[in-house]
Amino acid sequence: MTIYIDPPTWPGHGRMWSHLVSDESYDELHAFARKLGVPERAFERDHYDIPSHHYADAVAAGAVEVGSKELVRRLTAAGLRRPKGRGNAT
């Protein structure tokens, strides 16, 4: 059970963003995000959007750095990938 984060390479709202995911469960992901102080509104379908200025905090808290393609591969392999159109349920 691991939390993963990709590099902050996704632009939006005037800043760069990373994605934070779990390979175990949404409960694990939500608990990790709460520990970091990430607001629930940052959760989108199957990941949290993390602004670049909090990237180092997530890594210091134990998130494993992986590339974006590897992050999606691990999320999909865990059966936790929720493509657009499947809702934002937790």
XYZ file of all heavy atoms in Angstrom:
711
model
N 0.843 -1.170 0.000
C 0.000 0.000 0.000
C 0.887 1.230 0.000
O 1.706 1.424 0.877
C -1.002 -0.135 1.129
C -0.866 0.644 2.375
S -2.309 0.383 3.429
C -1.528 -0.527 4.711
N 0.709 2.000 -1.065
C 1.586 3.144 -1.296
C 0.791 4.310 -1.862
O -0.172 4.111 -2.593
C 2.703 2.754 -2.289
O 3.403 1.616 -1.786
C 3.691 3.880 -2.500
N 1.239 5.500 -1.530
C 0.712 6.727 -2.134
C 1.748 7.200 -3.145
O 2.944 7.217 -2.852
C 0.483 7.821 -1.065
C -0.545 7.368 -0.026
C 0.066 9.136 -1.713
C -1.957 7.200 -0.550
N 1.290 7.578 -4.322
C 2.169 8.034 -5.397
C 1.835 9.473 -5.777
O 0.685 9.898 -5.681
C 2.009 7.153 -6.639
C 2.400 5.729 -6.395
C 1.445 4.766 -6.071
C 3.734 5.328 -6.463
C 1.799 3.460 -5.834
C 4.097 4.012 -6.227
C 3.130 3.084 -5.912
O 3.488 1.788 -5.670
N 2.853 10.175 -6.258
C 2.666 11.539 -6.760
C 3.493 11.706 -8.028
O 4.626 11.213 -8.111
C 3.040 12.589 -5.688
C 2.583 13.981 -6.119
C 4.519 12.546 -5.348
C 2.589 15.010 -4.997
N 2.899 12.345 -9.028
C 3.657 12.632 -10.250
C 4.187 14.064 -10.181
O 3.773 14.849 -9.333
C 2.827 12.370 -11.509
C 1.592 13.237 -11.681
O 1.312 14.095 -10.812
O 0.893 13.066 -12.686
N 5.140 14.400 -11.063
C 5.721 15.751 -11.025
C 4.669 16.830 -11.309
O 3.686 16.573 -12.017
C 6.758 15.732 -12.151
C 6.985 14.307 -12.470
C 5.729 13.574 -12.103
N 4.881 18.014 -10.790
C 3.932 19.115 -11.036
C 4.107 19.688 -12.439
O 4.742 20.710 -12.642
C 4.280 20.131 -9.947
C 5.709 19.868 -9.617
C 5.929 18.405 -9.839
N 3.524 18.994 -13.414
C 3.654 19.397 -14.820
C 2.317 19.722 -15.473
O 2.260 19.964 -16.670
C 4.341 18.287 -15.642
O 3.579 17.081 -15.518
C 5.758 18.041 -15.162
N 1.246 19.735 -14.683
C -0.095 19.966 -15.218
C -0.523 21.396 -14.921
O -0.725 21.751 -13.778
C -1.073 18.965 -14.611
C -0.640 17.560 -14.855
C 0.100 16.767 -14.022
C -0.865 16.801 -16.028
N 0.340 15.557 -14.605
C -0.240 15.551 -15.853
C -1.531 17.057 -17.233
C -0.268 14.561 -16.816
C -1.553 16.066 -18.187
C -0.935 14.838 -17.975
N -0.677 22.242 -15.956
C -1.045 23.638 -15.726
C -2.539 23.808 -15.433
O -3.373 23.058 -15.927
C -0.683 24.319 -17.044
C -0.812 23.242 -18.074
C -0.429 21.964 -17.373
N -2.830 24.804 -14.618
C -4.219 25.155 -14.338
C -4.293 26.239 -13.289
O -3.535 26.228 -12.319
N -5.167 27.193 -13.520
C -5.409 28.264 -12.547
C -4.132 29.033 -12.191
O -3.920 29.404 -11.035
C -6.074 27.725 -11.285
C -7.306 26.924 -11.560
N -8.493 27.499 -11.962
C -7.531 25.581 -11.528
C -9.385 26.559 -12.154
N -8.830 25.388 -11.901
N -3.253 29.208 -13.164
C -2.055 30.013 -12.960
C -0.940 29.331 -12.195
O -0.011 29.988 -11.745
N -1.022 28.011 -12.046
C 0.049 27.280 -11.359
C 0.191 25.893 -11.966
O -0.586 25.506 -12.815
C -0.200 27.211 -9.859
C -1.464 26.501 -9.474
C -1.685 26.423 -7.987
N -2.046 27.732 -7.486
C -2.404 27.996 -6.256
N -2.446 27.036 -5.371
N -2.728 29.192 -5.872
N 1.154 25.144 -11.462
C 1.383 23.778 -11.930
C 0.912 22.807 -10.844
O 0.999 23.108 -9.654
C 2.867 23.554 -12.238
C 3.405 24.497 -13.310
S 2.547 24.363 -14.884
C 3.300 22.897 -15.536
N 0.447 21.637 -11.298
C -0.179 20.676 -10.389
C 0.394 19.274 -10.546
O 0.827 18.889 -11.632
C -1.675 20.596 -10.661
C -2.370 21.894 -10.451
C -2.459 22.928 -11.341
C -3.043 22.328 -9.282
N -3.161 23.975 -10.793
C -3.533 23.631 -9.520
C -3.295 21.736 -8.054
C -4.247 24.340 -8.573
C -4.018 22.451 -7.106
C -4.486 23.734 -7.376
N 0.325 18.519 -9.466
C 0.640 17.092 -9.436
C -0.643 16.335 -9.138
O -1.636 16.920 -8.712
C 1.636 16.783 -8.311
O 2.879 17.366 -8.564
N -0.584 15.022 -9.316
C -1.690 14.150 -8.957
C -1.221 13.208 -7.859
O -0.127 12.644 -7.944
C -2.160 13.334 -10.162
C -2.616 14.185 -11.285
N -1.954 14.246 -12.487
C -3.657 15.035 -11.386
C -2.580 15.090 -13.285
N -3.615 15.584 -12.638
N -2.046 13.018 -6.858
C -1.757 12.152 -5.729
C -2.740 10.992 -5.766
O -3.958 11.221 -5.818
C -1.926 12.950 -4.428
C -1.479 12.318 -3.127
C 0.047 12.265 -3.066
C -2.010 13.130 -1.945
N -2.230 9.740 -5.777
C -3.091 8.560 -5.864
C -2.633 7.484 -4.880
O -1.506 7.510 -4.390
C -3.130 7.955 -7.289
C -3.544 8.993 -8.317
C -1.797 7.323 -7.656
N -3.510 6.515 -4.657
C -3.206 5.336 -3.852
C -3.262 4.105 -4.739
O -4.032 4.063 -5.703
C -4.239 5.178 -2.734
O -4.113 3.921 -2.107
N -2.474 3.082 -4.390
C -2.588 1.801 -5.089
C -3.343 0.783 -4.228
O -3.408 -0.388 -4.547
C -1.218 1.255 -5.490
C -0.370 0.809 -4.307
O -0.750 1.075 -3.148
O 0.688 0.204 -4.550
N -3.950 1.270 -3.133
C -4.652 0.386 -2.203
C -6.142 0.711 -2.101
O -6.979 -0.155 -2.293
C -4.020 0.490 -0.814
C -4.674 -0.349 0.246
C -4.497 -1.848 0.042
O -3.534 -2.254 -0.638
O -5.330 -2.600 0.541
N -6.464 1.967 -1.764
C -7.871 2.312 -1.560
C -8.037 3.829 -1.526
O -7.089 4.570 -1.280
C -8.387 1.735 -0.235
O -7.790 2.408 0.857
N -9.265 4.251 -1.739
C -9.578 5.676 -1.597
C -9.492 6.094 -0.136
O -9.111 7.220 0.160
C -10.962 5.997 -2.168
C -11.048 5.766 -3.647
C -11.909 4.808 -4.168
C -10.256 6.482 -4.539
C -11.981 4.586 -5.535
C -10.318 6.257 -5.899
C -11.191 5.304 -6.389
O -11.255 5.078 -7.737
N -9.811 5.176 0.777
C -9.696 5.503 2.200
C -8.255 5.865 2.552
O -8.020 6.829 3.275
C -10.170 4.331 3.073
C -11.668 4.127 3.028
O -12.401 5.077 2.667
O -12.120 3.013 3.355
N -7.305 5.075 2.055
C -5.891 5.374 2.293
C -5.528 6.738 1.709
O -4.854 7.544 2.349
C -5.009 4.295 1.675
C -3.532 4.599 1.832
C -2.624 3.681 1.032
O -2.972 3.309 -0.109
O -1.548 3.351 1.565
N -5.994 6.998 0.500
C -5.704 8.268 -0.171
C -6.291 9.446 0.606
O -5.608 10.446 0.842
C -6.263 8.235 -1.598
C -6.084 9.500 -2.421
C -4.605 9.851 -2.592
C -6.758 9.321 -3.780
N -7.549 9.326 1.028
C -8.180 10.410 1.777
C -7.475 10.661 3.110
O -7.285 11.813 3.515
C -9.661 10.115 2.012
C -10.486 10.075 0.764
N -10.421 11.025 -0.228
C -11.411 9.171 0.343
C -11.262 10.716 -1.200
N -11.870 9.596 -0.877
N -7.062 9.584 3.786
C -6.353 9.736 5.066
C -5.022 10.459 4.867
O -4.661 11.341 5.652
C -6.125 8.369 5.705
N -4.304 10.114 3.818
C -3.029 10.764 3.524
C -3.248 12.242 3.215
O -2.530 13.112 3.714
C -2.335 10.064 2.355
C -0.927 10.505 2.118
C 0.134 9.878 2.748
C -0.644 11.548 1.243
C 1.444 10.281 2.531
C 0.652 11.963 1.016
C 1.703 11.329 1.658
N -4.257 12.529 2.405
C -4.558 13.916 2.045
C -4.938 14.732 3.284
O -4.493 15.877 3.432
C -5.675 13.958 1.008
N -5.731 14.141 4.165
C -6.095 14.841 5.408
C -4.845 15.146 6.230
O -4.713 16.232 6.796
C -7.075 14.005 6.242
C -8.511 14.152 5.826
C -9.471 13.540 6.827
N -9.217 12.128 7.078
C -9.725 11.128 6.354
N -10.509 11.389 5.325
N -9.447 9.881 6.662
N -3.932 14.187 6.310
C -2.689 14.371 7.060
C -1.884 15.550 6.505
O -1.250 16.282 7.256
C -1.867 13.081 6.998
C -0.593 13.100 7.799
C 0.050 11.730 7.858
C 0.910 11.520 6.630
N 1.754 10.316 6.721
N -1.962 15.748 5.193
C -1.264 16.867 4.554
C -2.039 18.178 4.648
O -1.511 19.232 4.319
C -1.027 16.577 3.069
C 0.044 15.579 2.706
C 0.055 15.365 1.193
C 1.403 16.048 3.173
N -3.307 18.108 5.043
C -4.138 19.302 5.089
C -4.721 19.678 3.741
O -5.118 20.824 3.523
N -4.812 18.709 2.835
C -5.371 18.953 1.503
C -6.896 18.994 1.615
O -7.496 18.071 2.174
C -4.937 17.841 0.517
C -5.568 18.042 -0.846
C -3.422 17.787 0.404
N -7.536 20.033 1.100
C -8.998 20.118 1.214
C -9.699 19.058 0.355
O -9.183 18.653 -0.697
C -9.317 21.519 0.700
C -8.155 21.909 -0.136
C -6.961 21.195 0.419
N -10.847 18.600 0.807
C -11.616 17.581 0.077
C -11.958 18.020 -1.340
O -12.061 17.188 -2.242
C -12.893 17.235 0.839
C -12.638 16.462 2.114
C -13.922 16.097 2.825
O -14.995 16.044 2.171
O -13.854 15.860 4.039
N -12.107 19.307 -1.550
C -12.463 19.801 -2.886
C -11.359 19.537 -3.916
O -11.595 19.625 -5.120
C -12.815 21.283 -2.840
C -11.645 22.203 -2.575
C -12.058 23.682 -2.567
N -10.934 24.532 -2.278
C -10.477 24.831 -1.069
N -11.104 24.351 -0.003
N -9.435 25.614 -0.905
N -10.163 19.180 -3.456
C -9.054 18.881 -4.360
C -9.132 17.460 -4.915
O -8.359 17.091 -5.788
C -7.716 19.086 -3.652
N -10.098 16.664 -4.422
C -10.280 15.292 -4.916
C -11.090 15.328 -6.198
O -12.153 15.946 -6.257
C -10.992 14.427 -3.875
C -11.150 12.996 -4.298
C -10.062 12.145 -4.340
C -12.386 12.502 -4.657
C -10.203 10.823 -4.732
C -12.547 11.193 -5.041
C -11.448 10.350 -5.082
N -10.574 14.646 -7.229
C -11.267 14.585 -8.515
C -11.279 13.148 -9.016
O -10.242 12.626 -9.439
C -10.587 15.491 -9.535
C -11.319 15.546 -10.844
C -10.664 16.463 -11.854
O -9.898 17.342 -11.468
O -10.933 16.262 -13.049
N -12.415 12.509 -8.930
C -12.669 11.141 -9.403
C -11.818 10.075 -8.716
O -12.342 9.184 -8.090
C -12.497 11.023 -10.920
C -13.525 11.755 -11.715
C -13.399 11.501 -13.209
N -12.052 11.468 -13.723
C -11.340 12.527 -14.096
N -11.873 13.737 -13.983
N -10.132 12.401 -14.577
N -10.492 10.137 -8.893
C -9.626 9.069 -8.385
C -8.286 9.582 -7.871
O -7.388 8.803 -7.580
C -9.392 8.011 -9.468
C -8.858 8.595 -10.768
O -8.393 9.756 -10.779
O -8.898 7.880 -11.788
N -8.152 10.894 -7.775
C -6.884 11.494 -7.356
C -7.117 12.851 -6.694
O -8.194 13.429 -6.827
C -5.951 11.671 -8.558
C -6.454 12.697 -9.534
N -7.375 12.395 -10.519
C -6.199 14.026 -9.656
C -7.648 13.489 -11.221
N -6.950 14.498 -10.713
N -6.093 13.314 -6.019
C -6.081 14.676 -5.507
C -5.169 15.509 -6.385
O -4.103 15.051 -6.796
C -5.550 14.731 -4.061
C -6.577 14.390 -3.030
C -6.760 13.086 -2.626
C -7.372 15.380 -2.454
C -7.705 12.756 -1.668
C -8.316 15.058 -1.504
C -8.485 13.749 -1.121
O -9.436 13.435 -0.174
N -5.587 16.732 -6.673
C -4.738 17.701 -7.353
C -3.935 18.436 -6.287
O -4.509 19.001 -5.353
C -5.582 18.694 -8.155
C -6.280 18.030 -9.335
O -5.671 17.146 -9.965
O -7.426 18.400 -9.634
N -2.618 18.409 -6.432
C -1.709 19.003 -5.457
C -0.913 20.116 -6.135
O -0.219 19.861 -7.118
C -0.730 17.940 -4.903
C -1.476 16.740 -4.325
C 0.236 18.560 -3.893
C -2.313 17.043 -3.106
N -0.983 21.350 -5.646
C -0.208 22.430 -6.264
C 1.291 22.211 -6.057
O 1.720 21.608 -5.070
C -0.699 23.685 -5.552
C -1.280 23.211 -4.269
C -1.768 21.807 -4.492
N 2.061 22.720 -6.997
C 3.510 22.479 -6.988
C 4.176 22.898 -5.680
O 5.123 22.250 -5.237
C 4.174 23.190 -8.168
O 3.957 24.588 -8.105
N 3.676 23.932 -5.028
C 4.320 24.379 -3.798
C 4.091 23.409 -2.622
O 4.702 23.566 -1.567
C 3.912 25.815 -3.428
C 2.459 26.013 -3.179
N 1.558 26.239 -4.201
C 1.753 26.020 -2.032
C 0.348 26.373 -3.681
N 0.444 26.247 -2.367
N 3.252 22.389 -2.801
C 3.055 21.365 -1.768
C 3.634 20.008 -2.164
O 3.517 19.032 -1.410
C 1.574 21.198 -1.432
C 1.020 22.338 -0.648
N 1.507 22.713 0.587
C 0.023 23.204 -0.930
C 0.828 23.756 1.028
N -0.074 24.072 0.117
N 4.264 19.951 -3.330
C 4.847 18.695 -3.814
C 5.859 18.133 -2.819
O 5.781 16.969 -2.425
C 5.507 18.932 -5.177
C 6.125 17.711 -5.797
C 5.349 16.830 -6.544
C 7.477 17.428 -5.654
C 5.906 15.700 -7.124
C 8.040 16.305 -6.231
C 7.250 15.458 -6.965
O 7.802 14.329 -7.539
N 6.806 18.942 -2.384
C 7.843 18.479 -1.452
C 7.235 18.022 -0.126
O 7.730 17.060 0.481
C 8.874 19.573 -1.213
N 6.159 18.664 0.320
C 5.486 18.250 1.553
C 4.918 16.839 1.413
O 5.022 16.026 2.336
C 4.345 19.209 1.903
C 4.817 20.624 2.178
O 5.981 20.802 2.582
O 3.999 21.544 1.989
N 4.320 16.556 0.262
C 3.746 15.226 0.022
C 4.839 14.164 0.002
O 4.680 13.080 0.587
C 2.956 15.218 -1.279
N 5.953 14.471 -0.647
C 7.072 13.520 -0.700
C 7.655 13.311 0.698
O 7.921 12.178 1.114
C 8.145 13.993 -1.710
C 9.387 13.122 -1.645
C 7.568 14.006 -3.128
N 7.823 14.387 1.437
C 8.356 14.279 2.795
C 7.434 13.450 3.695
O 7.903 12.766 4.611
C 8.563 15.670 3.398
N 6.131 13.479 3.420
C 5.165 12.714 4.210
C 5.090 11.250 3.787
O 4.394 10.461 4.420
C 3.779 13.356 4.100
N 5.801 10.898 2.696
C 5.858 9.498 2.294
C 5.356 9.162 0.909
O 5.416 7.998 0.505
N 4.849 10.138 0.154
C 4.412 9.858 -1.214
C 5.627 9.499 -2.066
O 6.684 10.118 -1.953
C 3.687 11.061 -1.811
N 5.470 8.497 -2.910
C 6.541 8.027 -3.781
C 6.449 8.758 -5.117
O 5.388 8.777 -5.752
C 6.441 6.502 -3.986
C 7.476 6.009 -4.985
C 6.585 5.786 -2.651
N 7.555 9.329 -5.539
C 7.609 10.065 -6.797
C 7.676 9.088 -7.974
O 8.543 8.213 -7.999
C 8.836 10.966 -6.834
C 8.856 11.999 -5.722
C 10.199 12.698 -5.626
O 11.114 12.142 -4.984
O 10.327 13.794 -6.198
N 6.750 9.251 -8.919
C 6.736 8.459 -10.148
C 6.344 9.369 -11.300
O 5.752 10.429 -11.089
C 5.758 7.254 -10.086
C 6.189 6.246 -9.034
C 4.330 7.703 -9.849
N 6.640 8.956 -12.508
C 6.202 9.699 -13.683
C 4.706 9.582 -13.867
O 4.052 8.692 -13.298
N 4.152 10.461 -14.672
C 2.700 10.493 -14.876
C 2.163 9.195 -15.469
O 1.114 8.697 -15.044
C 2.328 11.676 -15.767
O 2.703 12.877 -15.133
N 2.862 8.629 -16.445
C 2.401 7.372 -17.057
C 2.437 6.231 -16.051
O 1.529 5.398 -16.010
C 3.245 7.038 -18.280
C 2.965 7.951 -19.452
C 3.787 7.570 -20.654
C 3.517 8.524 -21.797
N 4.318 8.192 -22.987
N 3.475 6.191 -15.226
C 3.575 5.153 -14.202
C 2.477 5.323 -13.150
O 1.896 4.340 -12.687
C 4.952 5.185 -13.548
C 5.162 4.149 -12.476
C 5.135 2.707 -12.980
O 5.204 2.465 -14.205
O 5.045 1.807 -12.133
N 2.168 6.545 -12.796
C 1.105 6.814 -11.833
C -0.220 6.258 -12.348
O -0.925 5.550 -11.623
C 1.009 8.313 -11.573
C -0.027 8.747 -10.543
C 0.559 9.810 -9.641
C -1.246 9.303 -11.248
N -0.548 6.527 -13.601
C -1.804 6.027 -14.177
C -1.772 4.504 -14.274
O -2.776 3.835 -13.997
C -2.073 6.671 -15.557
C -3.249 6.004 -16.252
C -2.330 8.159 -15.402
N -0.625 3.938 -14.624
C -0.506 2.477 -14.709
C -0.795 1.830 -13.358
O -1.548 0.869 -13.262
C 0.885 2.070 -15.201
C 1.002 0.568 -15.489
C 2.432 0.126 -15.708
N 3.215 0.128 -14.489
C 3.110 -0.750 -13.493
N 2.196 -1.705 -13.542
N 3.892 -0.673 -12.436
N -0.217 2.373 -12.299
C -0.422 1.809 -10.961
C -1.863 1.996 -10.485
O -2.436 1.106 -9.864
C 0.560 2.422 -9.975
C 1.986 1.953 -10.227
C 2.971 2.642 -9.310
N 4.322 2.279 -9.663
C 5.081 1.448 -8.956
N 4.625 0.899 -7.856
N 6.314 1.177 -9.344
N -2.439 3.134 -10.771
C -3.828 3.400 -10.402
C -4.765 2.426 -11.123
O -5.676 1.859 -10.517
C -4.176 4.852 -10.754
C -5.534 5.380 -10.350
C -5.714 5.365 -8.840
C -5.716 6.791 -10.888
N -4.517 2.204 -12.403
C -5.335 1.285 -13.192
C -5.155 -0.150 -12.706
O -6.135 -0.885 -12.543
C -4.971 1.407 -14.687
O -5.196 2.759 -15.097
C -5.807 0.476 -15.541
N -3.908 -0.563 -12.460
C -3.632 -1.927 -11.991
C -4.311 -2.204 -10.658
O -4.721 -3.336 -10.380
C -2.125 -2.146 -11.879
N -4.464 -1.182 -9.831
C -5.121 -1.332 -8.531
C -6.643 -1.380 -8.651
O -7.335 -1.640 -7.673
C -4.711 -0.186 -7.604
N -7.163 -1.110 -9.851
C -8.608 -1.099 -10.049
C -9.278 0.152 -9.517
O -10.485 0.178 -9.319
N -8.491 1.217 -9.315
C -9.027 2.451 -8.746
C -9.183 3.578 -9.762
O -9.604 4.674 -9.398
C -8.127 2.924 -7.591
C -8.034 1.962 -6.408
C -6.987 2.444 -5.416
C -9.388 1.811 -5.738
N -8.859 3.336 -11.017
C -8.967 4.376 -12.052
C -10.429 4.639 -12.345
O -11.205 3.711 -12.587
C -8.247 3.931 -13.320
C -8.254 4.959 -14.424
C -7.237 6.050 -14.137
N -7.075 6.885 -15.312
C -7.285 8.185 -15.322
N -7.657 8.802 -14.207
N -7.117 8.885 -16.405
N -10.815 5.897 -12.307
C -12.178 6.319 -12.640
C -12.108 7.331 -13.780
O -11.958 8.521 -13.533
C -12.872 6.964 -11.449
C -13.222 6.012 -10.341
C -13.945 6.763 -9.250
N -14.370 5.875 -8.190
C -14.607 6.254 -6.957
N -14.453 7.519 -6.600
N -15.001 5.391 -6.063
N -12.229 6.874 -15.013
C -12.202 7.815 -16.138
C -13.340 8.835 -16.043
O -14.357 8.588 -15.384
C -12.380 6.926 -17.371
C -11.964 5.568 -16.909
C -12.352 5.503 -15.450
N -13.173 9.946 -16.717
C -14.219 10.975 -16.712
C -15.542 10.365 -17.120
O -15.598 9.483 -17.960
C -13.859 12.098 -17.680
C -12.759 12.980 -17.168
C -12.505 14.157 -18.081
C -11.418 15.023 -17.498
N -11.136 16.174 -18.313
N -16.609 10.855 -16.483
C -17.944 10.356 -16.793
C -18.459 9.324 -15.789
O -19.588 8.933 -15.833
N -17.583 8.909 -14.844
C -18.001 7.915 -13.865
C -18.282 8.514 -12.498
O -18.444 7.823 -11.520
C -16.933 6.831 -13.712
C -16.852 5.951 -14.921
C -16.137 4.697 -14.580
N -15.976 3.891 -15.769
C -15.270 2.812 -15.813
N -14.651 2.381 -14.743
N -15.170 2.121 -16.918
N -18.303 9.818 -12.422
C -18.677 10.454 -11.158
C -17.489 10.752 -10.276
O -16.365 10.431 -10.586
N -17.776 11.363 -9.158
C -16.750 11.811 -8.215
C -16.967 11.185 -6.843
O -16.623 11.741 -5.836
C -16.795 13.352 -8.127
C -15.530 13.923 -7.533
O -14.466 13.305 -7.581
N -15.627 15.113 -6.983
N -17.560 10.006 -6.822
C -17.861 9.350 -5.543
C -16.582 8.960 -4.830
O -15.563 8.690 -5.440
C -18.721 8.113 -5.796
N -16.666 8.903 -3.534
C -15.511 8.486 -2.737
C -15.737 7.108 -2.315
O -15.772 6.425 -1.571
C -15.276 9.448 -1.559
O -16.450 9.532 -0.766
C -14.873 10.820 -2.055
